Amino acid sequence: MQPRSIVTTLRAVKVPAEALKTLPTTVRPRIDPADVVVPPGYTVEALVAGLSFPACMEFGEDGELYIGEGGCTWPTRPAMPPRILRLDPSGKLEHFATMNFAGPRGFAVRKGRLYVSSKGGYHTRIEVYDLQSRKPTILFDKIPNGGWHEPGGPLIGPHDGLMYFGQGSVSLNGVVSPAGFTVDIAKHPHAKDVPGRDITLSGNNVQMRDPTKPFPFLVETGPYKPFGVPAKKGEVVKGELWCSTGVWRATLDGKDPELIAWGIRNPFGMAFDEEGNLFVSDNDYEEKGERAIAQDPDRVWRVKNARTPHGSVTEPEWFGFPDIAGDGLPVWHESHLPTRGTPAQPLLENPPKWSGPATWLGEPHTGLGKLDFCRTDAFGPGRRGKLFLCFFGTYAPLNSPRPEQLSNGFAVAQIDVSTGKTDELFLRNRHPGPASAHGSGGIERPVDCKFSPDGKSLYVLDFGINVVDRNKVVAYAHTGVLWRITWDAAGRNT
């Protein structure tokens, strides 16, 4: 049996592969690559187990792999130390850094420096660590947050050497709602979305309960406002460089930041193809609460402004948040009327030009994670140029009342961006849903995937046990796994 690494709180130990079938973590007592389904000709291995809320990874210039432990499901309410781990090519795992702000959400490595996005407080940060001294320096700390969604990137453009990064919306569906108090807003009562360009408001507010007052005390909240602050018809909200739902680029030393896109609800996954085209994953609106939106497809956008010269963007692309669904229809269209919650009304009086259509549309509530492109033929025939996208998995029944969406996701898909079609679920369990739902040793929630520097292996980061019911989400520490899938040219699949 080949030894594998199991991460404990402070150290890594080598164990026989059989030991992964009898782990001390009672919620995930078994990890077994034989329970993971991949195409013929590929092998699956579990390299690292026992990770706590892993959210991102990136290869360094010497083949080492950096792994980010996020702190908790939502890093503004940390439950575990947010850490950066380093796995060297020999298999040695070490603690690189503990972050003092919030959990890491994305990495990039260039010329001896590790660039990190992290979420916490009222703002997202972009920091850079010197790989020798391990000391961080803050590049940006004014990106609006304090709410629901994640930073995307950072990543380095292969065509221009610039740093690209993004940030999702503060609100769930366009207006800060009481549901946010279970996540972030109780700690950040002044948090609000910020537009990337001047907008005029429709005056439609959302009436909702005030969780800080005895029920049924009601308040009205408008878009781009803190909780409990209404909007007025015809009110103009000024656009800002540091907006929510944005995608930016800048030099590697943090100079000349430029907004190239906005209106992306949750741009968590960002990847360049070989030609330098930027693709961004985005998660759908939710069918619940005071502005419920149904049957909004998960999607991948191509940000065309990423191919323009730095500093030349006069009008950032707008991808629809908060009024346009992923299919290009208004969120109040009959196809998006909810079976639960209050239907949406228009929030913008003068919406910008929509920059769709999406490159790829998926099933609602698939829960998209990060993504990567296959750039060589070393991973098997027909794979080069294809996009590999993590399906983190649904949060139904919390955010959707539809039974058919209870097992959406929990896989890694191969997508042809030239056609917008899904070629196959490249990595999945034998039965739909997370492995723990069936007592198997397979995957739980794929959150990130990266091809190795030689292109022969796909690494998949598994967030771990993350259970959901109608009222809450519960994630468990020490249940995350790093998987490796390798092409076997001899055609064996073990």
Side-chain angles (χ1 to χ4, degrees):
M1 294 290 180
Q2 292 294 319
R4 301 290 177 258
S5 292
I6 295 182
V7 180
T8 63
T9 302
L10 297 174
R11 64 192 180 95
V13 296
K14 296 288 187 178
V15 300
E18 280 298 313
L20 293 175
K21 299 178 182 179
T22 55
L23 295 173
T25 46
T26 55
V27 292
R28 193 174 193 178
R30 180 168 173 261
I31 296 170
D32 189 351
D35 291 340
V36 180
V37 178
V38 291
Y42 292 87
T43 61
V44 182
E45 304 167 272
L47 294 185
V48 182
L51 298 167
S52 293
F53 318 122
C56 55
M57 60 180 171
E58 182 59 88
F59 282 97
E61 294 166 311
D62 296 323
E64 73 277 22
L65 180 66
Y66 294 91
I67 303 171
E69 290 187 314
C72 78
T73 312
W74 286 288
T76 46
R77 304 183 71 170
M80 295 289 290
R83 304 191 301 177
I84 301 173
L85 307 177
R86 181 182 182 275
L87 181 68
D88 72 20
S90 71
K92 179 183 177 182
L93 184 71
E94 66 169 340
H95 171 262
F96 177 82
T98 296
M99 303 188 71
N100 60 10
F101 176 63
R105 282 301 185 260
F107 295 144
V109 180
R110 181 62 61 93
K111 296 182 179 179
R113 305 210 294 177
L114 175 68
Y115 297 83
V116 185
S117 65
S118 58
K119 172 184 176 183
Y122 278 104
H123 299 98
T124 282
R125 280 184 183 176
I126 305 294
E127 299 175 271
V128 57
Y129 282 79
D130 181 279
L131 292 181
Q132 295 300 318
S133 68
R134 304 191 181 189
K135 292 182 179 179
T137 301
I138 298 173
L139 292 183
F140 303 112
D141 64 353
K142 296 181 180 180
I143 307 170
N145 207 311
W148 282 91
H149 293 129
E150 306 296 331
L155 70 166
I156 311 300
H159 59 302
D160 57 14
L162 297 172
M163 176 175 58
Y164 289 75
F165 53 99
Q167 173 58 48
S169 66
V170 171
S171 65
L172 190 66
N173 281 359
V175 174
V176 176
S177 65
F181 277 84
T182 66
V183 181
D184 297 302
I185 305 301
K187 295 178 70 176
H188 310 106
H190 305 295
K192 62 178 181 178
D193 282 308
V194 177
R197 282 293 182 266
D198 294 358
I199 55 169
T200 303
L201 303 182
S202 67
N204 287 325
N205 294 304
V206 177
Q207 190 176 72
M208 56 189 71
R209 64 182 175 86
D210 186 345
T212 69
K213 302 290 193 305
F215 187 81
F217 193 88
L218 300 178
V219 297
E220 285 193 338
T221 303
Y224 301 100
K225 304 286 185 181
F227 179 79
V229 178
K232 298 178 181 179
K233 181 176 176 57
E235 179 181 355
V236 176
V237 180
K238 301 296 289 183
E240 299 183 24
L241 167 66
W242 299 118
C243 62
S244 52
T245 73
V247 174
W248 299 264
R249 62 184 171 189
T251 62
L252 295 185
D253 57 2
K255 294 180 180 178
D256 303 320
E258 180 182 31
L259 179 68
I260 63 172
W262 68 292
I264 303 177
R265 182 178 180 269
N266 193 12
F268 182 51
M270 301 173 64
F272 282 98
D273 66 8
E274 290 186 82
E275 287 74 41
N277 297 304
L278 177 62
F279 295 85
V280 178
S281 65
D282 186 17
N283 285 293
D284 57 280
Y285 299 100
E286 301 191 3
E287 190 176 355
K288 70 171 187 178
E290 293 76 14
R291 193 177 190 252
I293 299 164
Q295 298 299 88
D296 178 28
D298 284 331
R299 55 268 188 173
V300 173
W301 307 108
R302 179 190 164 201
V303 180
K304 294 177 284 295
N305 273 342
R307 294 303 303 269
T308 61
H310 186 208
S312 68
V313 174
T314 57
E315 189 61 35
E317 297 175 79
W318 180 69
F319 287 93
F321 184 91
D323 274 0
I324 305 297
D327 55 12
L329 296 172
V331 296
W332 55 89
H333 187 271
E334 60 182 2
S335 63
H336 296 304
L337 294 178
T339 59
R340 180 180 75 183
T342 305
Q345 293 182 309
L347 298 179
L348 305 183
E349 191 171 283
N350 63 335
K353 178 183 177 182
W354 184 57
S355 293
T359 294
W360 173 88
L361 292 177
E363 289 293 318
H365 304 291
T366 297
L368 304 186
K370 292 180 179 287
L371 58 163
D372 198 13
F373 279 89
C374 181
R375 295 175 176 84
T376 74
D377 296 318
F379 195 62
R383 306 290 181 185
R384 185 168 185 170
K386 300 301 176 69
L387 177 67
F388 286 73
L389 174 60
C390 289
F391 289 175
F392 184 82
T394 185
Y395 266 9
L398 178 69
N399 59 9
S400 170
R402 301 171 189 267
E404 67 272 19
Q405 294 172 351
L406 288 171
S407 59
N408 284 5
F410 309 98
V412 176
Q414 177 184 298
I415 294 168
D416 187 336
V417 295
S418 67
T419 64
K421 303 296 184 182
T422 301
D423 291 334
E424 63 180 329
L425 292 182
F426 177 82
L427 177 144
R428 60 180 175 84
N429 291 317
R430 298 189 184 281
H431 303 284
S436 55
H438 308 287
S440 88
I443 58 175
E444 288 295 320
R445 290 185 178 271
V447 66
D448 196 0
C449 59
K450 282 285 186 298
F451 282 95
S452 59
D454 62 11
K456 295 179 180 180
S457 299
L458 176 67
Y459 285 66
V460 175
L461 193 60
D462 184 340
F463 183 84
I465 301 290
N466 190 194
V467 295
V468 182
D469 62 27
R470 173 71 185 267
N471 300 304
K472 64 182 182 299
V473 177
V474 179
Y476 291 86
H478 307 302
T479 62
V481 175
L482 175 65
W483 303 89
R484 180 171 64 189
I485 301 92
T486 304
W487 165 246
D488 183 351
R492 297 185 299 272
N493 187 29
T494 59

